[in-house]
């Protein structure tokens, strides 16, 4: 027995087996890969085997036992680290990380608090095999035979690994044609190729993306322009110019989903103030409005709503393409309506690369956390609590030249939905899933903060001459929590229902304009043309993928970032079509299939614009390109934590 254990070959195979067991178990327990048939299960099992054999098989290339062992242990550790990083990332984003997002160190740093919140005690098991393997190595390597038939053995082993890998790729291609060429969805890639091969694939994709800008040329923008021209929906004269010259106050409700609206927890309304808005007559409430964000979450919502371009399939465009040329809401409103733009947010300016991208968008003033009192009691989780945030924002709004376009981003209703004692007396839900249970408390807190903000806006004289727009940026409760969510919504959450849950509120209040509930299907991509038309600026000259929600020609097909879509008629998820009104699976009509094709096309064209930075080649009449070097965001003089003492003296 001892003789077998003290061989390099044994060490190698033990590594492959441990690695396969660990990876496969985590696939089953940590990720929702949507395994639908035996072939997919089989592929899931063989992908760590091929990775293990190829990577650890290189151990036979080393002639010295000590070096060989160190190589294998390091490789094993790095792959385990990669797996665990994905586990944590997935718990947070329900997604796999991509190289671009991992290089956004500012973001990861800011996630600090959440990262520890995502770790579980049983995660120690992820390190157990590494320790075991290290112990085996220390105990045995001195007895490894000095001479091994190195080359022959290693080529045989590597060839085995490569054959398994090729078989894996071919079988995947049979089950899901064009998997590699079209990058449908990261979950698919991991499901078919495994988390390690996906990481290599992603690295290649990222390198490709940086070369895309270099390769793009002026005519490349024409196809998108032709598409958006044909897709353009002309303004509805009933609404066009209704908010002309008014300030625009855009309020971002962090992680806020529409199911909260009018929801009662044990008979108590969660968001009574928002409910009063949607049930009243002054606000237009779009109850079939969906978020369309991808990995960029908040940053995607901001980008989509301010540019009417989609976020990227991987990473956030804010971080990856922050230096691109944009024809943004800020730029258009400034050039066509003399607006001053501002963003107000209780987090620091580097998060999501905001301090860079805002310059490209033409944001005049950026009041980040450094402008607020970030003192103990005011701060929780990601940054400033919503109540002090809104309170301190009023004088900042008053300081802006009018008309202004001000974007206020809230934070407290953010995963993992933390409040401190005294923040709220609203009860948590009782599903047993802490994330879901606390969500109602932070949402209620946000609702109270908003109510006070409305009162303060009136007192500040900003209410009657401002159009107010309120939106939820993306889901708060990820699919990981659907079991608990089933108790909340009182039904099974099928893929169809899950898509319906991606509704976020979109509300517009224009002084003097009749409101009410509007059932038009739309998404974040439609916000910009809708606003422009309300302030009396025709969106026609610009390349925008959305259409005015009030227009009679509005397109109700709402694209999700992964190519799925919802509309008033059909919902298409993972290749399966449903009737949107009954939720029943249907055979798609040609019209439904055409809608899906169109979704794919617009995502593709939008991606081309971002990757190739194509708007640098497009100049609408009278348009002056935004010059980022003209913008500078100085640090504010708000109080930071260590200044608390000073302030209380
Ligand atoms: C941080 C905030 C959160 O500044 O915008 O971003 P998210 O995690 O929702 O993308
Ligand atoms: Mn967000």
């Amino acid at each position: 027995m001892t003789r077998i254990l003290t061989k390099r070959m044994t060490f190698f195979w033990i590594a492959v087996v441990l690695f396969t067991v660990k990876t496969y178990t985590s696939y089953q327990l940590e990720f929702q890969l949507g395994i639908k048939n035996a072939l997919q299960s089989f592929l899931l099992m063989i992908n760590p085997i091929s990775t293990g054999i190829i990577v650890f098989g290189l151990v036979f290339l080393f002639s010295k036992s000590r070096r060989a062992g160190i190589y294998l242990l390091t490789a094993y550790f790095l792959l385990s680290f990669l797996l665990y990083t994905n586990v944590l990332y997935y718990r947070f984003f329900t997604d796999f990380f991509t190289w671009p997002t991992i290089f956004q160190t500012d973001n990861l740093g800011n996630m600090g608090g959440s990262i520890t919140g995502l770790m579980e005690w049983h995660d120690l098991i992820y390190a157990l095999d590494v320790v075991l393997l290290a112990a085996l190595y220390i105990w045995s390597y001195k007895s490894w035979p000095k001479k091994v038939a190195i080359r022959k053995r290693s080529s045989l082993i590597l060839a085995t690994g490569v054959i398994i890998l090729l078989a894996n790729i071919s079988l995947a291609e049979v089950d899901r044609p064009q998997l590699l060429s079209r990058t449908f969805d990261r979950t698919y890639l991991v499901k078919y190729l495994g988390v390690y091969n996906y990481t290599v694939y992603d690295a290649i994709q990222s390198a490709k993306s940086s070369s895309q800008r270099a390769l793009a040329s002026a005519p490349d923008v024409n196809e998108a322009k032709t598409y958006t021209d044909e897709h353009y929906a002309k303004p509805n004269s009933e609404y066009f110019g209704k908010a002309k010259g008014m300030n625009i106050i855009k309020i971002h409700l962090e992680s806020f989903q529409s199911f909260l609206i009018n929801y009662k927890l044990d008979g108590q309304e969660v968001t009574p103030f928002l409910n009063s808005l949607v049930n009243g007559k002054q606000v237009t409430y779009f109850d079939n409005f969906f978020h369309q964000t991808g990995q960029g979450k908040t940053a995607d919502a901001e980008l989509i709503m301010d540019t009417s371009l989609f976020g990227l399939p991987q990473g956030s465009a804010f971080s990856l393409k922050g230096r691109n040329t944009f024809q943004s809401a800020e730029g258009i409103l400034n050039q066509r309506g003399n607006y001053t733009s501002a963003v107000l947010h209780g987090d620091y300016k580097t998060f999501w690369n905001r301090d860079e991208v805002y310059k490209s968008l033409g944001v005049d003033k950026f009041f980040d956390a450094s402008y607020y009192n970030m003192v103990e009691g005011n701060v929780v989780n990601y940054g400033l609590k919503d109540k002090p945030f809104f309170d301190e924002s009023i004088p900042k709004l008053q300081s802006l030249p009018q008309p202004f376009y001000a974007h206020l981003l809230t934070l407290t209703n953010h995963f993992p939905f933390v409040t401190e004692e005294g923040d709220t007396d609203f009860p948590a839900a009782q599903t047993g899933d802490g994330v879901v249970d606390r969500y109602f408390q932070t949402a209620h807190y946000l609702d109270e903060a908003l109510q006070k903000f409305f009162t303060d806006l009136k007192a500040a004289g900003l209410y009657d001459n401002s159009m107010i727009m309120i939106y939820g940026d993306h889901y708060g409760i990820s699919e990981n929590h659907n079991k608990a969510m089933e108790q909340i919504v009182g039904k099974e959450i099928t893929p169809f229902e899950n898509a319906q849950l991606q509704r976020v509120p979109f509300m517009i209040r224009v002084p003097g304009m009749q409101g009410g509930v509007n059932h038009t299907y739309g998404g974040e991509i439609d916000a910009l043309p809708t606003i422009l038309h309300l302030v009396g600026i025709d969106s026609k000259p610009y390349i925008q993928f959305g259409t005015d929600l009030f227009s009679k020609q509005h397109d109700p097909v709402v694209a999700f970032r992964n190519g799925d879509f919802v509309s008033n008629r059909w919902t298409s998820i993972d290749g399966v079509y449903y009737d949107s009104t009954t939720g029943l699976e249907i055979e798609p009509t040609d019209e439904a299939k055409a809608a899906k094709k169109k979704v794919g096309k617009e995502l593709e064209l939008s991606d081309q614009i971002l990757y190739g930075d194509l708007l640098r080649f497009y100049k609408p009449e009278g348009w002056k390109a935004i010059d980022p070097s003209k913008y500078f965001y100085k640090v504010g003089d708000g109080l930071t934590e260590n200044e608390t003492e000073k302030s209380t003296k």
Side-chain angles (χ1 to χ4, degrees), residues 129-144:
D129 52 340
V130 184
V131 175
L132 266 174
L133 212 61
L136 179 65
Y137 162 69
I138 292 165
W139 174 67
S140 72
Y141 85 96
K142 283 197 179 129
S143 342
W144 289 1

Side-chain angles (χ1 to χ4, degrees), residues 34-312:
I35 300 297
K36 294 210 178 92
N37 57 41
L39 176 63
Q40 292 177 6
S41 308
F42 175 68
L43 292 180
L44 207 58
M45 208 165 61
I46 65 164
N47 74 66
I49 302 180
S50 67
T51 305
I53 292 180
I54 295 171
V55 177
F56 307 148
L58 298 176
V59 76
F60 297 102
L61 287 179
F62 293 84
S63 49
K64 292 213 167 65
S65 302
R66 209 166 74 93
R67 284 198 193 152
I70 288 175
Y71 162 75
L72 198 147
L73 282 176
T74 313
Y76 196 96
F77 172 78
L78 290 176
L79 289 181
S80 300
F81 184 74
L82 178 70
L83 176 67
Y84 188 58
T85 308
N86 267 299
V87 166
L88 291 183
Y89 194 87
Y90 195 88
R91 284 181 194 160
F92 192 85
F93 290 105
T94 327
D95 206 341
F96 298 92
F97 84 77
T98 63
W99 288 109
T101 39
I102 241 45
F103 283 128
Q104 292 152 26
T105 45
D106 287 340
N107 290 343
L108 290 184
N110 251 316
M111 261 175 66
S114 299
I115 289 178
T116 41
L118 295 165
M119 291 178 170
E120 311 270 356
W121 277 111
H122 67 247
D123 291 352
L124 283 174
I125 213 136
Y126 282 100
L128 197 64
D129 52 340
V130 184
V131 175
L132 266 174
L133 212 61
L136 179 65
Y137 162 69
I138 292 165
W139 174 67
S140 72
Y141 85 96
K142 283 197 179 129
S143 342
W144 289 1
K146 290 283 169 285
K147 287 247 174 290
V148 273
I150 300 165
R151 306 268 171 230
K152 221 166 130 197
R153 196 170 296 196
S154 86
S155 0
L156 202 71
I157 285 174
L158 288 177
T160 314
V162 171
I163 289 170
I164 302 177
L165 176 65
L166 291 177
N168 183 344
I169 294 174
S170 335
L171 288 172
E173 195 63 26
V174 172
D175 203 56
R176 172 65 66 180
Q178 295 182 305
L179 175 73
L180 292 180
S181 54
R182 289 186 50 200
T183 323
F184 296 95
D185 186 321
R186 277 172 293 282
T187 312
Y188 292 8
L189 287 164
V190 174
K191 173 160 90 174
Y192 288 106
L193 303 178
V195 72
Y196 311 105
N197 293 323
Y198 152 74
T199 308
V200 175
Y201 171 86
D202 176 58
I204 298 168
Q205 288 288 97
S206 307
K208 217 165 86 190
S209 136
S210 22
S211 63
Q212 268 155 339
R213 184 182 193 275
L215 295 175
S217 62
D220 295 346
V221 78
N222 295 344
E223 196 183 349
K225 181 62 186 146
T226 310
Y227 176 85
T228 54
D229 273 349
E230 280 168 11
H231 191 230
Y232 166 75
K234 67 170 193 291
N236 180 336
S237 55
E238 212 186 303
Y239 297 92
F240 190 75
K242 278 276 182 215
K244 198 173 172 64
M246 290 182 190
N247 301 316
I248 302 171
I249 300 175
K250 180 176 163 201
I251 304 168
H252 166 115
L253 304 182
E254 178 56 43
S255 304
F256 197 103
Q257 288 172 247
S258 298
F259 79 83
L260 289 167
I261 299 288
N262 286 331
Y263 188 84
K264 283 190 183 147
L265 192 68
D266 285 332
Q268 209 179 331
E269 286 181 78
V270 184
T271 59
F273 179 65
L274 282 163
N275 297 350
S276 74
L277 296 183
V278 311
N279 300 327
K281 282 281 159 266
Q282 291 193 14
V283 166
T284 303
Y285 170 50
F286 291 92
D287 64 348
N288 288 315
F289 188 87
F290 292 79
H291 83 84
Q292 297 170 293
T293 59
Q295 275 194 314
K297 306 287 287 282
T298 291
D300 276 2
E302 289 187 55
L303 174 97
I304 303 170
M305 299 188 74
D306 268 349
T307 65
S308 200
L309 298 174
F310 291 99
L312 289 175

Side-chain angles (χ1 to χ4, degrees), residues 92-93 107 110-111 114 252 254-255 294-302 345-352 354 358 382-383 409-411 413-415 473-475:
F92 192 85
F93 290 105
N107 290 343
N110 251 316
M111 261 175 66
S114 299
H252 166 115
E254 178 56 43
S255 304
Q295 275 194 314
K297 306 287 287 282
T298 291
D300 276 2
E302 289 187 55
H345 186 40
D347 190 1
Y348 291 93
K349 64 180 180 180
T350 49
F351 199 89
W352 283 128
R354 286 188 174 102
Y358 283 173
Y382 270 65
L409 294 115
T410 64
L411 260 185
N413 191 44
H414 191 291
F415 180 90
D473 63 339
H474 50 74
Y475 66 79

Side-chain angles (χ1 to χ4, degrees), residues 251-439:
I251 304 168
H252 166 115
L253 304 182
E254 178 56 43
S255 304
F256 197 103
Q257 288 172 247
S258 298
F259 79 83
L260 289 167
I261 299 288
N262 286 331
Y263 188 84
K264 283 190 183 147
L265 192 68
D266 285 332
Q268 209 179 331
E269 286 181 78
V270 184
T271 59
F273 179 65
L274 282 163
N275 297 350
S276 74
L277 296 183
V278 311
N279 300 327
K281 282 281 159 266
Q282 291 193 14
V283 166
T284 303
Y285 170 50
F286 291 92
D287 64 348
N288 288 315
F289 188 87
F290 292 79
H291 83 84
Q292 297 170 293
T293 59
Q295 275 194 314
K297 306 287 287 282
T298 291
D300 276 2
E302 289 187 55
L303 174 97
I304 303 170
M305 299 188 74
D306 268 349
T307 65
S308 200
L309 298 174
F310 291 99
L312 289 175
Q314 285 162 306
S316 93
F318 259 33
S319 303
L320 288 174
K321 300 290 168 188
R323 289 167 184 273
N324 270 17
T325 299
F326 293 106
Q327 282 141 24
S328 60
E330 291 82 357
I332 298 170
L333 288 168
N334 174 264
Q335 296 186 24
R336 304 277 303 273
N338 204 24
Y339 276 76
T340 297
S341 56
V343 175
L344 301 91
H345 186 40
D347 190 1
Y348 291 93
K349 64 180 180 180
T350 49
F351 199 89
W352 283 128
N353 194 33
R354 286 188 174 102
D355 54 342
E356 285 303 316
V357 72
Y358 283 173
K359 295 174 188 166
S360 309
L361 293 171
V363 174
D364 294 309
K365 290 196 189 313
F366 181 15
F367 298 101
D368 79 332
S370 69
Y371 284 80
Y372 291 87
N373 291 330
M374 305 292 284
V375 295
E376 211 185 311
N378 269 6
V379 177
V380 74
N381 198 9
Y382 270 65
L384 191 62
K385 293 180 188 172
D386 298 340
K387 285 182 184 175
F389 167 65
F390 279 128
D391 283 351
E392 292 180 45
S393 293
I394 290 282
K396 296 176 177 45
L397 292 178
Q398 285 175 307
S399 75
L400 295 173
Q402 298 193 20
F404 59 72
Y405 173 62
H407 186 188
L408 294 97
L409 294 115
T410 64
L411 260 185
T412 310
N413 191 44
H414 191 291
F415 180 90
F417 311 110
V418 200
T419 45
E420 291 179 324
E421 219 181 308
D423 286 339
T424 180
D425 52 5
F426 198 80
Q430 299 295 328
T431 67
D433 178 331
V435 166
V436 174
D437 293 352
R438 291 190 299 272
Y439 187 52

